[in-house]
Amino acid sequence: MPVCTCLYNQGQVPSQELLPDYATRSLPTFSLKDPTGKFALGLSPRSDCALDEISIEVQTLNTGSPRQQFQLTYDGRIVSVACPGKVLTAGQDGQCSNG
C-alpha cells in the first residue's frame, strides 16, 4: 500500500476525527526557550545525525529552524526534529552548570 505524508503549518493540523482512519497524526513540536524569548536550545551546527552523539547548545532563537525543534515521543522520550533517531539525555555526570 502506498504511503503519503501531509505537512501542515504549526497549529493547523486537523483533529483526528477529520482525518481518514488510516491516518496517524504526527507529534507536535516545541522549542526550549529562555524566558526572554531571545535564546533557545538547539542542535549544534557541528552535530551530524549519522554520528552516535549529537550536541545541544544555547543559540539565538530562530523560530523556523528544525535544529531548535523537539518532539515528545509517545513513549516519553525527547527527540530532535532534525535528528529524530537521537534521544536527548543528560551528560555522563547528569549535572548542569552555569554558562
Side-chain angles (χ1 to χ4, degrees):
M1 172 179 221
V3 175
C4 111
T5 302
C6 297
L7 300 176
Y8 297 93
N9 291 330
Q10 186 76 358
Q12 297 180 345
V13 178
S15 67
Q16 186 68 44
E17 296 80 31
L18 298 175
L19 295 172
D21 292 340
Y22 57 83
T24 302
R25 293 181 63 185
S26 63
L27 297 166
T29 61
F30 59 90
S31 295
L32 299 168
K33 301 181 276 191
D34 78 320
T36 67
K38 294 180 182 178
F39 301 100
L41 291 181
L43 186 64
S44 167
R46 298 175 306 280
S47 289
D48 180 350
C49 296
L51 299 176
D52 287 339
E53 293 185 7
I54 56 173
S55 295
I56 304 295
E57 64 184 15
V58 176
Q59 302 172 346
T60 303
L61 180 65
N62 179 352
T63 53
S65 173
R67 298 182 82 77
Q68 293 181 358
Q69 296 291 310
F70 300 92
Q71 292 177 306
L72 180 62
T73 65
Y74 292 116
D75 59 354
R77 298 177 302 152
I78 297 175
V79 297
S80 166
V81 169
C83 297
K86 304 296 182 187
V87 177
L88 301 187
T89 58
Q92 290 180 353
D93 61 6
Q95 300 296 315
C96 295
S97 61
N98 293 332

